[in-house]
Amino acid sequence: MGQRWRWRLLRAGSLRLDGGGMFGVVPKTLWSRMAEADEQNRIGLQTNCLLLESESGEKTLIETGFGGKWSEKERGFYALEKRTVEDALQEVGLRAEEIGQVIVTHLHFDHAGGLTKLNTAGEVVRTFPNARVFVQKLEWEDALANKSTMTKTYLRNHLDPIAGCVELVDGEREILPGVTVWPVPGHTWGQHAVRFEDEQGVVCFAGDVIPTANHVGLAFSIGYDMMPYENMLTKKKLLERAEREAWRLALDHEPGHAVMRVKHNEGGKFTFEQA
């Protein structure tokens, strides 16, 4: 048995994104029963992160949220809460300098924006000055090339300041004792998921494979997934394994209860129950 980790879920800030974009091919007549849209057709989301602590006190952060480097106009567009992962860390008595590792599932702004911040001189600097940043090699290369249908989601002010501390991973790998990442393509080509073990078993953080509890259905995928069909296959494989091995899934954008177990309903479809 590998190393077990203590962990907690941190809320790095709420935002609102277009409901049609978040549910892709699923019509509004269906998704609006599950997620209430505002007058701009946006639904409420959260940027959830996980804080892991080893028996020796080593601290690792999974995801960083959107950060704080936004203009008022940009905040209004996405309804970005004036809150960052640093605020969430402070609430549990920690400073960013205490984080030794950061793992990002992918490098879109709402996951990697918190890797950097503005200092008192208005310069963009690393938020976690003592941390290595783990990301898939393919994701890093695609982010630098801005390889996305969304031209403003891979932003250089999230990426350039951390280039010297990035540790690139190529495929599945145990990056820390008891912490493994592995590719989960679909939302991006280079997205990876993270799994680790605590006293109750395996916990998995799968990024935007399943962003909220309402995305458990195989057809319920994000409209700007780079490979929608591939994401559906990835999700099916993940849900099957999570049910078979009794994993708990921590959902990255779920604004409500964000830790779930996978079950099948009487019709044979995947469902979630709170863990």
Side-chain angles (χ1 to χ4, degrees):
M1 182 177 295
Q3 177 169 289
R4 292 177 175 177
W5 294 77
R6 297 185 297 275
W7 66 281
R8 66 176 74 193
L9 186 140
L10 304 179
R11 307 279 195 177
S14 63
L15 73 163
R16 301 189 76 87
L17 296 178
D18 182 78
M22 284 302 298
F23 286 99
V25 300
V26 176
K28 187 175 182 179
T29 53
L30 292 180
W31 65 253
S32 61
R33 301 173 191 173
M34 300 178 287
E36 183 178 356
D38 65 12
E39 67 282 356
Q40 297 181 51
N41 205 50
R42 303 174 303 180
I43 63 171
L45 301 167
Q46 183 57 248
T47 52
N48 295 320
C49 310
L50 300 188
L51 174 66
L52 279 60
E53 186 171 356
S54 69
E55 295 174 357
S56 63
E58 184 177 28
K59 297 172 179 62
T60 297
L61 184 67
I62 303 176
E63 304 286 71
T64 70
F66 47 72
K69 306 182 302 296
W70 303 96
S71 68
E72 289 304 311
K73 180 179 180 180
E74 290 166 330
R75 287 189 179 278
F77 187 73
Y78 297 112
L80 300 179
E81 183 181 0
K82 288 191 174 182
R83 176 180 173 84
T84 70
V85 69
E86 283 194 277
D87 296 319
L89 287 169
Q90 289 171 6
E91 290 168 0
V92 297
L94 294 177
R95 297 174 295 111
E97 291 79 5
E98 298 177 72
I99 302 299
Q101 295 81 216
V102 177
I103 307 167
V104 282
T105 59
H106 60 296
L107 293 166
H108 288 170
F109 81 86
D110 51 331
H111 299 258
L115 288 168
T116 59
K117 65 179 181 179
L118 296 176
N119 65 13
T120 55
E123 302 164 325
V124 181
V125 297
R126 291 166 55 189
T127 304
F128 307 98
N130 301 314
R132 294 178 293 163
V133 178
F134 290 92
V135 63
Q136 285 288 322
K137 178 176 182 291
L138 179 58
E139 181 69 14
W140 179 254
E141 292 171 348
D142 286 349
L144 294 181
N146 199 24
K147 189 177 178 182
S148 174
T149 56
M150 299 176 291
T151 58
K152 294 185 179 180
T153 192
Y154 287 136
L155 303 178
R156 296 305 289 252
N157 65 358
H158 304 333
L159 305 174
D160 291 342
I162 67 162
C165 62
V166 169
E167 185 162 333
L168 299 180
V169 185
D170 195 1
E172 183 166 352
R173 183 177 131 198
E174 185 179 31
I175 57 174
L176 299 168
V179 179
T180 297
V181 299
W182 77 101
V184 285
H187 183 60
T188 72
W189 291 274
Q191 182 177 227
H192 63 196
V194 188
R195 69 178 184 266
F196 60 93
E197 194 167 337
D198 66 6
E199 293 295 329
Q200 300 178 47
V202 174
V203 179
C204 172
F205 190 93
D208 277 346
V209 177
I210 313 172
T212 77
N214 293 325
H215 288 80
V216 66
L218 296 183
F220 286 68
S221 293
I222 300 174
Y224 36 85
D225 286 343
M226 298 309 301
M227 299 179 290
Y229 183 70
E230 186 73 20
N231 189 74
M232 183 176 70
L233 297 180
T234 295
K235 183 192 298 191
K236 183 175 185 293
K237 186 176 180 180
L238 175 70
L239 290 170
E240 287 173 343
R241 185 174 181 185
E243 182 180 33
R244 183 173 65 250
E245 300 182 15
W247 290 3
R248 283 156 292 153
L249 300 181
L251 308 179
D252 62 346
H253 287 309
E254 173 56 49
H257 189 94
V259 183
M260 300 289 179
R261 290 191 185 274
V262 183
K263 300 291 181 183
H264 270 95
N265 64 18
E266 293 181 357
K269 294 182 179 181
F270 293 109
T271 62
F272 279 144
E273 64 177 29
Q274 293 184 5

